[in-house]
Amino acid sequence: MEFEKSEDFETRWLELLRSLRARFGKELHLNGILFLIGVQELGQGISEFTKEQKQDLMHIATCKLFSLSGYYELDRIDEDGWPHYKAVKPIPSANLKEQERMLKWHILEYFDREE
């Protein structure tokens, strides 16, 4: 997976955070962004979600994000409309900081494709 230079990456990340803050009227952090992506991928709009459903939405988001690099692929949509992914290849092992950067990079790719 190819990452751009650190300065470019940080600039793009901060621009995305500013854009999301302007759109939603509050500061969003990684988990909040994952939740939003999960809701988007579920496609049923905003509603009340249980704690377990919120965790599931963040899992959906993570799988969707890593599907952009071929680590996961959509397996099926269940009877309630929830997507289920399957692992296609293992995600490279990385320390916590590297994992966060990989996730942020995928989030940037996701929003680039949404525009």
Side-chain angles (χ1 to χ4, degrees), residues 71-73 85-90:
Y71 293 105
Y72 284 85
E73 66 182 32
Y85 286 82
K86 65 179 177 182
V88 177
K89 61 183 180 181

Side-chain angles (χ1 to χ4, degrees), residues 71-109:
Y71 293 105
Y72 284 85
E73 66 182 32
L74 183 62
D75 185 38
R76 65 186 175 86
I77 306 289
D78 70 21
E79 58 281 351
D80 295 322
W82 287 68
H84 294 266
Y85 286 82
K86 65 179 177 182
V88 177
K89 61 183 180 181
I91 295 172
S93 60
N95 66 36
L96 199 55
K97 187 172 182 163
E98 291 167 336
Q99 288 175 11
E100 183 176 294
R101 184 174 168 87
M102 193 182 311
L103 197 52
K104 287 178 177 179
W105 184 85
H106 281 91
I107 289 169
L108 289 168
E109 288 295 300

Side-chain angles (χ1 to χ4, degrees), residues 5 11-13 15 21 29 58 62 73 76-77 87 92 99-101 106 109 114-115:
K5 288 185 281 188
T11 300
R12 288 179 65 216
W13 181 251
E15 285 172 5
R21 183 174 51 242
H29 300 284
M58 291 170 65
T62 303
E73 66 182 32
R76 65 186 175 86
I77 306 289
Q99 288 175 11
E100 183 176 294
R101 184 174 168 87
H106 281 91
E109 288 295 300
E114 290 295 305
E115 291 177 351

Side-chain angles (χ1 to χ4, degrees), residues 3-106:
F3 293 121
E4 66 258 43
K5 288 185 281 188
S6 243
E7 315 82 58
D8 297 340
F9 176 81
E10 286 305 318
T11 300
R12 288 179 65 216
W13 181 251
L14 292 173
E15 285 172 5
L16 176 64
L17 292 179
R18 274 193 291 278
S19 167
L20 292 173
R21 183 174 51 242
R23 185 170 174 192
F24 294 101
K26 64 181 185 177
E27 195 77 32
L28 290 174
H29 300 284
L30 204 52
N31 285 344
I33 295 169
L34 289 174
F35 175 74
L36 283 176
I37 292 171
V39 169
Q40 174 74 22
E41 291 304 311
L42 180 59
Q44 297 177 3
I46 299 283
S47 63
E48 291 294 317
F49 294 105
T50 65
K51 184 177 181 181
E52 184 178 322
Q53 287 173 321
K54 288 177 182 175
Q55 290 174 330
D56 290 345
L57 287 166
M58 291 170 65
H59 177 73
I60 288 169
T62 303
C63 291
K64 171 61 180 181
L65 291 170
F66 281 98
S67 75
L68 301 177
S69 293
Y71 293 105
Y72 284 85
E73 66 182 32
L74 183 62
D75 185 38
R76 65 186 175 86
I77 306 289
D78 70 21
E79 58 281 351
D80 295 322
W82 287 68
H84 294 266
Y85 286 82
K86 65 179 177 182
V88 177
K89 61 183 180 181
I91 295 172
S93 60
N95 66 36
L96 199 55
K97 187 172 182 163
E98 291 167 336
Q99 288 175 11
E100 183 176 294
R101 184 174 168 87
M102 193 182 311
L103 197 52
K104 287 178 177 179
W105 184 85
H106 281 91

